[in-house]
Amino acid sequence: MTQNNREVFGSRFAAIATTVGSAVGLGNIWRFPYEAGQNGGGAFMLCYLAFIFMLGVPLLCAEYSMGRATRSNIFGAYRRLAPRRKWYLAGYIGILSSILILSFYSVVAGWTIEYCVSSMTGSLDFSDTETGHLQFLTLTTGWRPVLWTVLFLLCNTFVMLGGVTKGIERASNILMPLLFVLLIAFCVNSLTLPWRDQGLSFLFSADFSKITPSVLLSALGQAFFSLSLGLGCMLTYASYFSNNTRLGRTAFVTASLDSLVAILAGVIIFPAVFSFGISPESGPMLVFEVLPYIFSQLPAGVLWSTLFFLLLFLASLTSTVSMSEISIAFFTEEKKMSRRKATLVSSAIALTGGLFCALSFGPLSDFTIFGRTFFNFFDYFSSNICLPLGGMICCLFVGWKMDRALLKSELTNGGKHRFALLRLLVFFLRWICPVAIGLIFLNCIGII
Ligand code: PFF
């Protein structure tokens, strides 16, 4: 379907399914549990949810409005709406962070393919936690992950070459509901585990003394990462929304479903973590060690495990497709490349970054940037610094500079519907979001 000379998503459901497809991925199922595990459980969860609804929803509305109003990539959106070039900084931050995220994300997505294949062939052995741990190390260190990272990036390139709406729309419409069903089934199973109460209380009871500046920054980074915010991903997707899509509603539904998936993942993982005696602070390996162990306790475990890793792989793909779209839209619309060339160029850049990240668990584990391996640095720098910074610029821009009538027209679909919360939204964008992000940054670097 075409509107304003641009391809748009066919239906309202497709707009929600694709933004949820972008938001729901490894960020919810892999990153959320390990960040929560390392940052105090309930305290982290509380801050994360507060950031999703107080900062994430207003920023989603802001990105959606900019994207649909300009029908452009992040760079073009600022160029069309901003009087001054300084705002273009947000465009550069977005493109840089999309490539950094794609690099380390592809490594973890590669692990999901490897776990899926190993489950299918019956070679995963999780008779005890020690074996599970050794198995993770065997599968993810050395040169092997390079193969899976490359394979994942090839799949991503293949989908991207298929065009915007066709590939993405079709995949998201079917997969997201299926993933939900599977997660709910695993939750029910985790609630029967012996250490269920410890796991749930770790996740849901907040010890306020654990809220430190670094916990706040991690929760902020996680909220933005999880909602694909701050780098122009949602802005770019909204540029394909039809004129009938209700932006405020789509923002709220996206944030609610996204946080629901993260909570479900927590409910699956933490009872199991305590029941199987695994440390919640295990870091990026947490989910990959815990999940197969859960499957090994289930009847037809091989089947569940294969299906789950397959769906996780596909959920990662719908997320990487959205982050690739940021740089591809930039190269095609700003640098006038063909879509094919733009896809190949951005895949090649991500592949280079991906190789460094894939090797940082093995041969490059001693190479560090500010004390972090390539993988950890790419993750920390993009999620905790670039995304909040990009998000802050977007809030300031939409709150203070964007034409109010244009913003209103986007949020009301040209006056067709009411958007009662406009003044509140503008207040959040002008004051609450930038001040909160600024304070967390300053707090973290020790200035206040
Ligand atoms: N939101 C995705 C997830 O939670 O897995 C990750 C992501 C997608 C981050 C797209 C950034 C982005 F542009």
Side-chain angles (χ1 to χ4, degrees):
M1 196 164 125
T2 311
Q3 273 177 10
N4 308 15
N5 293 328
R6 213 161 191 264
E7 227 185 326
V8 297
F9 293 132
S11 64
R12 243 181 252 173
F13 174 75
I16 292 192
T18 38
T19 50
V20 173
S22 164
V24 172
L26 292 170
N28 314 61
I29 294 164
W30 159 74
R31 202 172 184 279
F32 172 79
Y34 98 68
E35 285 282 343
Q38 286 184 327
N39 288 292
F44 177 87
M45 167 90 137
L46 190 71
C47 301
Y48 163 77
L49 285 179
F51 291 148
I52 288 270
F53 287 99
M54 286 174 56
L55 312 184
V57 173
L59 185 52
L60 267 176
C61 292
E63 284 206 17
Y64 285 164
S65 305
M66 281 184 77
R68 194 175 60 179
T70 56
R71 298 235 173 257
S72 176
N73 66 85
I74 178 167
F75 207 88
Y78 278 101
R79 190 158 38 74
R80 279 189 212 169
L81 298 172
R84 301 249 187 93
R85 291 179 76 89
K86 65 180 182 199
W87 294 103
Y88 297 4
L89 175 65
Y92 291 116
I93 295 178
I95 287 154
L96 171 71
S97 36
S98 71
I99 288 177
L100 290 178
I101 296 178
L102 187 56
S103 304
F104 75 83
Y105 203 92
S106 303
V107 176
V108 184
W111 296 346
T112 65
I113 309 182
E114 178 154 31
Y115 268 72
C116 179
V117 173
S118 310
S119 321
M120 214 164 19
T121 56
S123 57
L124 278 189
D125 173 10
F126 286 93
S127 34
D128 56 64
T129 44
E130 190 57 27
T131 322
H133 179 66
L134 289 177
Q135 193 144 257
F136 176 82
L137 295 182
T138 320
L139 294 180
T140 56
T141 49
W143 290 86
R144 283 169 73 124
V146 171
L147 175 75
W148 300 109
T149 306
V150 172
L151 185 66
F152 180 79
L153 279 168
L154 283 178
C155 297
N156 187 55
T157 310
F158 182 73
V159 175
M160 295 316 296
L161 286 175
V164 185
T165 51
K166 276 178 272 149
I168 308 174
E169 225 176 282
R170 241 181 276 145
S172 314
N173 288 356
I174 308 166
L175 298 174
M176 288 304 111
L178 194 57
L179 186 63
F180 266 117
V181 173
L182 211 61
L183 286 175
I184 290 173
F186 293 155
C187 266
V188 173
N189 172 63
S190 276
L191 293 178
T192 63
L193 291 172
W195 289 64
R196 175 194 66 188
D197 294 346
Q198 284 77 357
L200 294 182
S201 107
F202 178 80
L203 186 63
F204 290 114
S205 58
D207 172 357
F208 289 94
S209 67
K210 291 205 173 133
I211 303 184
T212 61
S214 88
V215 168
L216 284 171
L217 185 66
S218 300
L220 182 70
Q222 175 60 23
F224 279 37
F225 184 89
S226 187
L227 286 178
S228 315
L229 278 177
L231 72 174
C233 174
M234 291 304 191
L235 183 157
T236 310
Y237 259 14
S239 72
Y240 304 111
F241 281 0
S242 89
N243 294 337
N244 297 328
T245 302
R246 306 271 298 257
L247 302 187
R249 215 179 258 186
T250 308
F252 187 74
V253 172
T254 306
S256 308
L257 291 179
D258 186 60
S259 38
L260 179 65
V261 174
I263 295 172
L264 290 180
V267 172
I268 295 171
I269 297 295
F270 288 107
V273 160
F274 287 91
S275 301
F276 304 143
I278 295 170
S279 162
E281 295 183 18
S282 305
M285 62 183 67
L286 182 71
V287 168
F288 285 88
E289 289 194 1
V290 176
L291 278 173
Y293 206 63
I294 299 183
F295 301 137
S296 71
Q297 318 265 311
L298 290 172
V302 171
L303 189 77
W304 289 112
S305 165
T306 311
L307 186 62
F308 180 77
F309 284 114
L310 180 69
L311 282 181
L312 193 53
F313 155 72
L314 294 169
S316 320
L317 198 58
T318 52
S319 298
T320 52
V321 158
S322 71
M323 61 187 100
S324 310
E325 191 57 38
I326 302 172
S327 48
I328 293 175
F330 168 74
F331 286 132
T332 49
E333 288 165 21
E334 302 299 312
K335 301 288 167 202
K336 305 293 171 224
M337 284 184 193
S338 67
R339 188 168 174 92
R340 193 181 161 75
K341 186 166 173 201
T343 307
L344 295 177
V345 169
S346 48
S347 300
I349 303 175
L351 180 64
T352 315
L355 293 183
F356 282 99
C357 293
L359 292 174
S360 58
F361 290 86
L364 293 183
S365 58
D366 292 335
F367 282 82
T368 54
I369 312 174
F370 296 113
R372 294 171 197 270
T373 59
F374 283 108
F375 180 97
N376 288 337
F377 179 77
F378 278 28
D379 184 354
Y380 184 87
F381 181 69
S382 55
S383 312
N384 293 3
I385 312 286
C386 295
L387 301 190
L389 201 61
M392 182 162 157
I393 298 177
C394 181
C395 292
L396 289 171
F397 181 74
V398 176
W400 293 96
K401 295 286 170 198
M402 187 170 163
D403 178 28
R404 187 62 53 79
L406 183 61
L407 178 64
K408 186 171 178 193
S409 155
E410 283 306 324
L411 291 165
T412 58
N413 288 353
K416 264 197 251 153
H417 306 285
R418 261 166 52 79
F419 185 80
L421 301 175
L422 184 65
R423 286 166 72 113
L424 188 67
L425 175 71
V426 172
F427 177 73
F428 265 72
L429 292 174
R430 285 187 158 190
W431 297 105
I432 306 288
C433 303
V435 169
I437 298 171
L439 286 179
I440 294 171
F441 271 144
L442 293 178
N443 206 344
C444 260
I445 51 178
I447 293 187
I448 52 167

